[in-house]
Amino acid sequence: MAEVLLENVTVRYPIYGVGATSLRNQLINVGTGGLLSREGRTTVEVTALRDVSLRLTNGDRLGLVGHNGSGKTTLLKTIARIFEPTLGKITVTGRIATVFGLGTGALPDLSGYENIRRMSMLLGATFEEAEASIPDIEAFTELGNFLNVPIRTYSAGMTTRLLFAVATAVHPEVLVVDEVFGAGDVGFQTKARKRMAEFVERASIVILASHSSDILDQFCNRRIMLEHGQIVG
Ligand SMILES: Nc1ncnc2c1ncn2[C@@H]1O[C@H](COP(=O)(O)OP(=O)(O)OP(=O)(O)O)[C@@H](O)[C@H]1O
Ligand SMILES: [Mg+2]
């Protein structure tokens, strides 16, 4: 059985080389971002997640909402083990696949094909499984010969096509998706929604961050709202 369990998870990022005195009074609240605090003379800390507890099991499709900087991506990256919690504990049972925006998981100097093989294997596929998934990824991405060139030359939407196709070509039990539907053209969005729908049927747990309530209505059966790194509803 797949499970995602977060127990009192806090994630803080230190930001070095910022004069703490340049921070204005913490009490002046801003609409976006986590909480900034002073940490010594030259370090500032952002608390991106504060004391988040959450349990997801088979069939849970969670939508994450919240303002820019509220902690959605940080929560997804913590579940994906890209970040370690500063405090608290996280347990994920089941094979996990992630789709993040540009720059996560893919190596810019490798070609599309090389990234497909590498990322598939990082997602737990065997060499044979990675090879077998290639025709499907070629068809979905429609990138043609661009799959032979380094992905640093891709546009944002082209990269999203590739990352989304790879993550959904393996069959994870836990799928983590961060805002992919916004990048990419209308053609991609239509295809991505269709593929996502098939995928959501098969995955045990889905966690999706999006600013589109339309997307969340279609794919999610639970929702949480984050505000300054805390669950508020
Ligand atoms: N690498 C980093 N170093 C320092 N601070 C960071 C880093 N990544 C994120 N943050 C901070 O953590 C907080 C939460 O950011 P996060 O990216 O999780 O927000 P988000 O809810 O995904 O926002 P958006 O809707 O804009 O995607 C923000 O205040 C941000 O400034
Ligand atoms: Mg984000």
Side-chain angles (χ1 to χ4, degrees):
M1 191 188 81
E3 186 185 51
V4 173
L5 183 64
L6 281 85
E7 296 167 89
N8 308 100
V9 168
T10 292
V11 174
R12 295 196 189 108
Y13 302 107
I15 310 178
Y16 302 104
V18 180
T21 46
S22 64
L23 282 190
R24 293 172 62 193
N25 192 334
Q26 173 68 64
L27 294 174
I28 302 172
N29 218 341
V30 288
T32 58
L35 284 188
L36 280 172
S37 58
R38 300 174 174 90
E39 199 50 49
R41 268 161 48 88
T42 55
T43 307
V44 163
E45 220 173 45
V46 188
T47 303
L49 285 181
R50 275 193 290 163
D51 202 23
V52 170
S53 296
L54 185 65
R55 179 167 182 262
L56 301 172
T57 53
N58 286 347
D60 280 334
R61 289 153 199 182
L62 180 72
L64 290 182
V65 292
H67 59 72
N68 291 135
S70 59
K72 302 178 299 294
T73 298
T74 303
L75 180 56
L76 296 178
K77 288 190 170 170
T78 308
I79 292 169
R81 291 306 171 105
I82 297 168
F83 295 145
E84 274 302 311
T86 314
L87 296 170
K89 196 176 158 205
I90 168 152
T91 323
V92 177
T93 313
R95 186 150 109 169
I96 181 164
T98 56
V99 189
F100 286 106
L102 304 180
T104 313
L107 292 182
D109 290 330
L110 296 185
S111 72
Y113 282 119
E114 287 162 340
N115 270 296
I116 293 171
R117 295 191 180 93
R118 180 178 169 276
M119 285 191 290
S120 300
M121 289 165 76
L122 284 176
L123 290 169
T126 62
F127 181 75
E128 289 73 24
E129 284 168 342
E131 288 299 312
S133 70
I134 287 179
D136 172 53
I137 295 171
E138 287 171 334
F140 180 81
T141 59
E142 296 175 283
L143 285 169
N145 275 328
F146 277 100
L147 289 172
N148 289 304
V149 302
I151 67 162
R152 67 181 137 77
T153 66
Y154 290 11
S155 72
M158 288 162 78
T159 310
T160 301
R161 283 174 178 247
L162 185 72
L163 297 179
F164 184 76
V166 174
T168 48
V170 297
H171 301 310
E173 288 153 294
V174 181
L175 176 69
V176 169
V177 184
D178 195 9
E179 286 292 358
V180 285
F181 299 98
D185 53 30
V186 177
F188 168 73
Q189 297 206 17
T190 312
K191 281 169 56 146
R193 275 191 179 218
K194 187 164 166 286
R195 192 164 163 113
M196 183 75 186
E198 292 161 11
F199 204 65
V200 160
E201 284 300 304
R202 281 181 286 151
S204 301
I205 296 175
V206 177
I207 312 162
L208 178 69
S210 180
H211 292 290
S212 153
S213 46
D214 194 31
I215 298 275
L216 295 168
D217 287 344
Q218 184 180 352
F219 297 116
C220 300
N221 57 15
R222 280 179 68 177
R223 232 178 243 216
I224 59 173
M225 179 178 274
L226 289 172
E227 215 175 273
H228 304 296
Q230 271 185 318
I231 297 181
V232 291

